[in-house]
Amino acid sequence: MSNGSRTLTALYVAVALWLSFCTVRTWGAVPLWTTLAMAVASLAPVIGIVRETVIADERRAVAVLRERQGRRAAWRDAVAAAVAQAEVEAACCERWWTSCATEHDPACAHRTSWGTTA
């Protein structure tokens, strides 16, 4: 739970307690409908507390999903890099490509005679 959520939760608890206290103090001294209205109003902050805890749970779940997605993306990047590296290593030399397949670099693993294509 974030600091703002904790602050709001503490504020909701304080308001709910204050409204409950006022409800008990006014019982029998004022008309019944006002006491009942105060009792219902004291339940509103409880809804706010529940809302803050639900939001905190959702934030935690989103953080876990983002972390998992980050790991998957890193794994896909590593796989893509390995595939690209394998393709580059399997490819022929630069001279072979630029000379239209007529000659190879001396260090080329696919070196064949000059007049044939590899």
Side-chain angles (χ1 to χ4, degrees):
M1 194 178 274
S2 68
N3 289 335
S5 293
R6 285 188 189 103
T7 303
L8 276 175
T9 301
L11 183 63
Y12 288 144
V13 168
V15 169
L17 289 174
W18 176 251
L19 288 172
S20 299
F21 172 76
C22 291
T23 301
V24 171
R25 295 285 294 180
T26 60
W27 191 266
V30 295
L32 182 61
W33 69 271
T34 56
T35 304
L36 292 176
M38 186 75 70
V40 170
S42 68
L43 295 176
V46 174
I47 295 170
I49 293 169
V50 170
R51 179 181 173 269
E52 289 300 320
T53 56
V54 167
I55 288 173
D57 291 342
E58 288 177 357
R59 285 182 178 164
R60 244 181 269 116
V62 166
V64 168
L65 289 174
R66 283 184 179 166
E67 182 181 345
R68 286 182 189 163
Q69 188 64 26
R71 280 192 231 134
R72 285 186 195 134
W75 181 80
R76 281 192 305 260
D77 289 347
V79 170
V83 168
Q85 182 66 30
E87 288 180 2
V88 166
E89 288 174 358
C92 210
C93 62
E94 182 66 26
R95 187 182 299 169
W96 184 81
W97 289 104
T98 57
S99 66
C100 297
T102 58
E103 58 182 303
H104 287 267
D105 284 332
C108 180
H110 303 287
R111 192 170 178 197
T112 58
S113 63
W114 286 34
T116 63
T117 58

